[in-house]
Amino acid sequence: MSEHYSVIVGLSLALVVTSLLVVEVRHLKYAALAYFVQGLLLVAILVGYATLLPNHALYLWSVTVLISKAGIIPLLLWHYLKRMAPMETPNALGFGISLVIGVAVLAGFYWLVDGHMTWLAPVPQLAGEPYGTNLSVAFTILAFGLYALLSRRDTLKAVMGVCLIENAVHLSLVSLAPGLPETAMIGVVTDVVLSVWILLIIIKGMYEQVGSSDIREMAKLWG
Amino acid sequence: MESNSILLWLIIIIPALAAGLEALMGRKRPQSAGLAAIVGAAITLGLVLVLVWQVVQGEKLMAWSGQLYADGLSALVVLVISIVGLAATVFSYRALRGAVAAGKTAVGRLPLYFSLDALFMCTMLWASLTNNLIMLYVVVEATTLASALLVTFYWKRESLEAGFKYLLLCTVGITFALLGCVLIYAAASPYLGGHQAMLITALAPVVDKFPRELTLLALAFLVVGFGTKAGLVPFHSWLPDAYSQAPSAFAAFLSVGIKVAAYALARVLTIFYPEYSGIGLLVVALGMVTMLSGIVFAFAQDDLKRMLAFSSVSQIGYVMMGLGLGSSLGYFGALYHFLNHALLKSMLFLCVGALVYTSGTTLISELKGQKGKSALTAICFFIGALGIGGMPPLNGFWSKFTIFLAAAQSGMWWATGVAVFTSLLTLTCLVRAAYKVFLEREDEHEEPAAACENTQNQPAVALPWSMLGMMAALAALSVLIGLSPNLVNQLIAPAVQSIMYIAVGG
């Protein structure tokens, strides 16, 4: 049993690394690719939990994730990225400092969440393995997504930050609400796909009018 | 008395059908766009009136094995949504055609407007009728999705920025609400089982068994999440942009959107009041900060719509304060104000829509001294300004007065003080704007050229009766509600009861 756990722990770590890549890689197409890989990893993790726990509902979840987060959303990102500038607008921090802070956010939050598991786990057994790592990773990626939203100037990167946050929430559901009915699940996923799509439509509209996906270029409203 | 009713399904499905019809018919006949949405909204209002009648008689309606649920509280909210929805949709019919004539948009885009307008109505009604914790998140987010492309409707740089901010902030914010809901669900499912734990009405009896830290975290997530969508300071920054960039007629409807989020927050949060008394205090404090900073920002605005938007931020603070007090008087004041403010503010936005129709601008400095404004618009605007400012005997006075009393009764004199002070500021701010726009004569020396240019671009036109009628109807309704306490009591008392009923675990 324990080697199965270590596979899942390994996949979770890979999930953290892909999050770092999504945010820090400045070439937007490669960042989107990293997001696609993260979607696949998420599917693998769900299948892993489905066989390990065993919880057959999670197989259905993994199909939902495969369609939405390793299918529709990466395709949408790809479709809109092709029509815009290939490189991200440089952020205020610069590549090196941003990378260091990003790693610090990831490590710091993992440590913080792992140490306060009782805050998140409604029953004690959820704090132990294999749920504990899952929850820690989910909340770490959530915090990292927020960091991405706050530190990036590129609107497309902001959308990828939102995608990371949604992935994190999805991951946390495995531990917190594995009994969630499929209808509720489909509702949640539909919301995510539609919100990403509409955000991309709006960004493309701005790109056509302003010629850049830089948030500062379009900021005219204030107060 | 609980009974199953198909009414709940119909109230959600009819606006959805109207949205579908608009989208289908719009391809072939864009010039008739809006008719299906208006008919749909009218039928919905009729059904809602039946629902309200049944609920006022003491019934509780259910459907979909308890997933949809209507008690006094939801009845009040769906009533507000359907009244404002109908008024705003009828108003839009001519207002949007005015925008087409002014070259702001194309006829081909009108079906999109009315289709999304009907969809927005559908999602808001669903959000107020759902009893499912996770679906609550799903539909509140759906209201944002349905309205985002209406905020960007004119497809200008500013409106795109506003839409982007709106969608991004509300999506991220509401994701926290989802986390909060999921944590509560996770805590409840060991006691209630997977299916029951999703029903909001089933939660109250087991709330005291939840782990304390987890619950506090979940409640914080809920306040941040629904608070962002409700426009609470400091999560309000999307709101003035979205309101001011959306077409005025839609801004009137959008202003109900924040109230649905406030409803969602009230629905879930009040369950925890008996166990976690500190939460109420937090909500009162947030409400206080929101009301005061909203009105301070409102003073600085030259754009009428931005000013009204900041005033909305401020007024949602009153609703929150009343809800946070946790007493039945507080709930009464909050829900009464909820009703009053929804009617008055959407009426004010319709007045701005009328001004745009006749004068082509929303800037106070440009509207000042311009000719061609209708007297009825002025009267409605003054009723709105005085009502929201809390001038007796208008409805806004009674609801605010109830909130002051409730705060004083709970011993929070500081909160009463801030609320009274804010009310005076609101009155000054709105009446000053109304005076400038409608009564002040232009100074001879102040660049009359700019104003003339504008009037030339937009020749003074008479307002169509459908637009005037909707403004007048909302104004009349507000006055009526202010003058007949019996009507108000019949509507709001069941809503207050249903909050108390759920909170004590009935």
Side-chain angles (χ1 to χ4, degrees):
Chain A
M1 213 52 167
S2 63
E3 63 266 32
H4 290 297
Y5 286 166
S6 62
V7 169
I8 285 186
V9 170
L11 285 172
S12 298
L13 279 179
L15 213 59
V16 174
V17 174
T18 48
S19 306
L20 192 66
L21 290 176
V22 169
V23 176
E24 298 299 345
V25 171
R26 293 203 44 218
H27 204 291
L28 286 169
K29 281 189 180 174
Y30 292 119
L33 202 65
Y35 176 76
F36 169 65
V37 173
Q38 183 171 67
L40 290 179
L41 284 170
L42 207 54
V43 173
I45 289 176
L46 285 177
V47 172
Y49 276 114
T51 35
L52 188 63
L53 289 178
N55 178 349
H56 293 290
L58 291 184
Y59 285 117
L60 264 172
W61 285 32
S62 60
V63 175
T64 324
V65 169
L66 185 68
I67 294 171
S68 60
K69 296 184 175 180
I72 303 173
I73 293 182
L75 280 175
L76 279 174
L77 280 173
W78 195 261
H79 176 84
Y80 283 93
L81 284 177
K82 269 196 308 196
R83 286 155 179 77
M84 287 179 233
M87 295 300 277
E88 175 195 349
T89 316
N91 58 58
L93 298 169
F95 181 73
I97 297 176
S98 169
L99 188 66
V100 172
I101 296 181
V103 172
V105 168
L106 284 171
F109 254 88
Y110 190 86
W111 173 78
L112 187 72
V113 179
D114 217 33
H116 295 83
M117 206 36 100
T118 47
W119 283 62
L120 296 172
V123 278
Q125 68 259 31
L126 283 190
E129 290 310 320
Y131 301 99
T133 313
N134 175 291
L135 274 179
S136 309
V137 168
F139 276 80
T140 304
I141 296 178
L142 180 83
F144 190 62
L146 275 182
Y147 159 71
L149 276 180
L150 292 174
S151 64
R152 304 295 121 158
R153 283 174 178 167
D154 194 288
T155 45
L156 286 163
K157 265 291 160 77
V159 173
M160 290 186 199
V162 173
C163 293
L164 284 185
I165 291 176
E166 305 291 353
N167 275 0
V169 171
H170 213 117
L171 193 61
S172 74
L173 293 182
V174 176
S175 294
L176 292 174
L180 205 63
E182 192 63 13
T183 45
M185 200 67 209
I186 288 171
V188 172
V189 167
T190 315
D191 267 356
V192 172
V193 170
L194 284 178
S195 60
V196 170
W197 192 14
I198 299 176
L199 276 171
L200 287 170
I201 291 174
I202 294 176
I203 291 173
K204 180 157 168 282
M206 283 188 311
Y207 188 81
E208 280 163 0
Q209 298 200 2
V210 185
S212 137
S213 52
D214 188 344
I215 190 86
R216 289 166 305 169
E217 286 292 320
M218 55 169 225
K220 283 177 104 185
L221 306 170
W222 53 273
Chain B
M1 192 166 57
E2 291 180 344
S3 59
N4 275 309
S5 170
I6 187 110
L7 213 53
L8 302 180
W9 276 117
L10 289 176
I11 287 172
I12 297 169
I13 289 171
I14 285 175
L17 278 180
L21 267 179
E22 284 289 348
L24 276 178
M25 294 198 319
R27 283 169 186 272
K28 286 189 185 133
R29 303 188 55 194
Q31 62 275 19
S32 63
L35 291 177
I38 291 172
V39 172
I43 298 175
T44 311
L45 178 60
L47 293 170
V48 164
L49 288 176
V50 177
L51 176 130
V52 170
W53 176 251
Q54 290 185 351
V55 169
V56 165
Q57 304 296 317
E59 272 190 76
K60 290 186 172 58
L61 307 180
M62 294 203 301
W64 198 4
S65 53
Q67 303 262 347
L68 297 178
Y69 176 83
D71 55 8
L73 183 59
S74 6
L76 178 71
V77 181
V78 291
L79 184 67
V80 167
I81 295 168
S82 49
I83 291 176
V84 175
L86 180 64
T89 312
V90 173
F91 189 91
S92 310
Y93 188 80
R94 289 301 296 270
L96 263 286
R97 279 159 176 81
V100 172
K104 280 191 194 164
T105 185
V107 183
R109 279 175 66 76
L110 290 186
L112 175 76
Y113 177 91
F114 286 102
S115 175
L116 288 176
D117 179 79
L119 202 60
F120 185 54
M121 185 163 185
C122 162
T123 50
M124 284 208 294
L125 290 168
W126 193 350
S128 353
L129 290 176
T130 186
N131 189 24
N132 183 320
L133 204 53
I134 307 294
M135 281 314 272
L136 186 66
Y137 151 79
V138 172
V139 261
V140 171
E141 169 69 0
T143 61
T144 311
L145 297 176
S147 50
L149 285 178
L150 287 179
V151 170
T152 64
F153 187 71
Y154 290 142
W155 214 248
K156 288 180 307 184
R157 186 167 157 169
E158 292 88 353
S159 55
L160 287 167
E161 183 198 346
F164 180 75
K165 261 192 203 171
Y166 173 48
L167 188 51
L168 190 74
L169 285 174
C170 287
T171 299
V172 173
I174 213 77
T175 304
F176 279 90
L178 172 64
L179 267 179
C181 289
V182 166
L183 284 172
I184 291 174
Y185 168 78
S189 49
Y191 305 106
L192 295 172
H195 180 72
Q196 282 287 312
M198 298 230 286
L199 300 183
I200 299 167
T201 43
L203 289 175
V206 293
V207 160
D208 55 329
K209 300 195 184 90
F210 295 176
R212 220 171 162 79
E213 287 103 345
L214 175 132
T215 316
L216 288 175
L217 193 66
L219 294 180
F221 282 160
L222 284 173
V223 170
V224 172
F226 289 128
T228 307
K229 177 78 183 153
L232 295 187
V233 174
F235 318 112
H236 69 289
S237 61
W238 61 269
L239 194 148
D241 297 352
Y243 278 30
S244 59
Q245 293 305 318
S248 304
F250 184 67
F253 201 10
L254 192 59
S255 72
V256 185
I258 62 171
K259 300 197 175 60
V260 171
Y263 157 81
L265 195 57
R267 195 65 161 183
V268 185
L269 226 50
T270 45
I271 303 174
F272 293 89
Y273 278 2
E275 278 298 308
Y276 300 85
S277 50
I279 292 296
L281 200 64
L282 173 76
V283 174
V284 172
L286 262 178
M288 215 173 66
V289 173
T290 303
M291 71 170 74
L292 198 57
S293 40
I295 200 63
V296 168
F297 283 122
F299 262 105
Q301 306 302 323
D302 184 38
D303 186 337
L304 212 47
K305 274 158 97 180
R306 281 185 86 80
M307 191 201 80
L308 291 179
F310 274 115
S311 147
S312 274
V313 171
S314 174
Q315 300 301 311
I316 205 81
Y318 279 96
V319 175
M320 282 296 141
M321 180 188 265
L323 288 173
L325 292 172
S327 61
S328 59
L329 193 64
Y331 291 141
F332 192 93
L335 296 174
Y336 191 13
H337 199 60
F338 180 100
L339 173 70
N340 290 339
H341 180 249
L343 295 176
L344 289 168
K345 189 51 69 65
S346 47
M347 195 253 298
L348 283 174
F349 274 113
L350 293 188
C351 290
V352 178
L355 288 172
V356 174
Y357 193 86
T358 51
S359 313
T361 178
T362 57
L363 297 182
I364 299 174
S365 51
E366 286 182 11
L367 284 165
K368 197 165 67 177
Q370 260 196 48
K371 300 226 165 31
K373 284 169 289 216
S374 87
L376 190 66
T377 315
I379 293 170
C380 288
F381 200 98
F382 267 100
I383 291 179
L386 292 170
I388 290 181
M391 177 66 92
L394 289 166
N395 53 354
F397 167 74
W398 297 112
S399 53
K400 280 188 179 179
F401 192 62
T402 317
I403 295 175
F404 302 158
L405 279 183
Q409 195 191 41
S410 309
M412 296 187 191
W413 287 99
W414 43 278
T416 317
V418 171
V420 172
F421 179 60
T422 308
S423 191
L424 292 175
L425 285 181
T426 311
L427 190 66
T428 323
C429 178
L430 291 180
V431 172
R432 191 187 63 152
Y435 176 78
K436 274 189 178 173
V437 170
F438 292 102
L439 297 180
E440 199 168 68
R441 292 276 154 260
E442 178 124 32
D443 253 0
E444 304 285 314
H445 315 286
E446 263 187 47
E447 326 160 40
C452 283
E453 211 176 293
N454 252 302
T455 24
Q456 272 161 14
N457 287 345
Q458 289 274 321
V461 272
L463 278 171
W465 64 265
S466 65
M467 291 168 73
L468 285 172
M470 288 304 121
M471 286 183 322
L474 287 181
L477 207 56
S478 306
V479 173
L480 181 73
I481 287 175
L483 294 180
S484 71
N486 190 33
L487 182 75
V488 174
N489 204 31
Q490 276 194 347
L491 250 178
I492 296 178
V496 174
Q497 270 167 16
S498 57
I499 294 186
M500 306 294 273
Y501 175 78
I502 289 179
V504 297

